[in-house]
Amino acid sequence: MLDKSIEFHSIIMKNPNYKEPEAVAVPEGFSVRFYQEGDEKSWALIQNSVLEFNSVQDALDCFNHYLEHEDELRRRQLYVIEEKTGKAVATATAWYSNLKGKPIGVVHALSCLPEYQSLGLGKVAAFYMMKCFYELMPGIEVWLDTQTWSYKALGLYLNLGFIPMKKAVYNDVPNEFGAAIKVLKGKMREDKYRLFIERAK
């Protein structure tokens, strides 16, 4: 869940996507599948629950962008499902764009319902997302934009091989690395904060 009590600054990260990600076990009682018709409702509920949108309807309206590319959606958007209820509890999307005329992968909406966040399901969604990038776009860089409000997720991105970018930008998202690291100090775990600084390029 976003921590909106701290100062907001955007963060840009990049993954070279040159090797298959290390496998992550799916916890017992859960499974992973791609988008199916009707999943937009679950997606909207998950995104609203982590405060990415002001309402479920706002999230549904945003989802219309994906529905314009439904064939890609069915092979790029993943859901972690609680088997006993059939409920989607986490999601991630291995989307795509271009940068200076070249294709890139773009991380979209890696999120998990707050009440399921202690079970490692975000890590599962992230692994399958990166596996999807590797299979569909091997060797093509994967970019993401996040923010200081999502500082708890930065350790996960570092574990996935993402590199914090000091100046690089994509998709018109501002790079506020310098301001962000001042906010992150004391909020991130100390070892992860050091790694974040050391890995930055």
Side-chain angles (χ1 to χ4, degrees), residues 125-138:
F127 161 71
Y128 278 92
M129 174 189 70
M130 293 309 298
K131 186 172 186 288
C132 188
F133 278 127
Y134 182 75
E135 292 177 349
L136 295 176
M137 311 172 75

Side-chain angles (χ1 to χ4, degrees), residues 144-164:
L144 68 83
D145 63 273
T146 184
Q147 62 276 321
T148 47
W149 288 352
S150 297
Y151 67 88
K152 293 179 181 179
L154 294 177
L156 173 59
Y157 294 137
L158 290 170
N159 290 344
L160 290 168
F162 278 90
I163 301 164

Side-chain angles (χ1 to χ4, degrees), residues 88-106:
V89 300
T91 183
T93 304
W95 210 238
Y96 58 95
S97 186
N98 64 79
L99 180 64
K100 298 179 181 178
K102 295 182 179 181
I104 59 169
V106 182

Side-chain angles (χ1 to χ4, degrees), residues 101-132:
K102 295 182 179 181
I104 59 169
V106 182
V107 173
H108 275 199
L110 171 57
S111 303
C112 180
L113 289 171
E115 60 267 35
Y116 290 85
Q117 286 180 3
S118 62
L119 304 177
L121 300 175
K123 184 184 294 186
V124 169
F127 161 71
Y128 278 92
M129 174 189 70
M130 293 309 298
K131 186 172 186 288
C132 188

Side-chain angles (χ1 to χ4, degrees), residues 35-47 56 59-61 63-64 66-67 70 73 77 79:
Y35 168 84
Q36 297 175 1
E37 185 176 353
D39 279 337
E40 53 267 30
K41 296 175 184 177
S42 296
W43 186 90
L45 287 169
I46 294 171
Q47 302 310 320
V56 172
L60 283 169
D61 291 344
F63 199 91
N64 288 332
Y66 292 126
L67 292 177
E70 192 167 350
L73 187 61
Q77 189 169 87
Y79 290 86

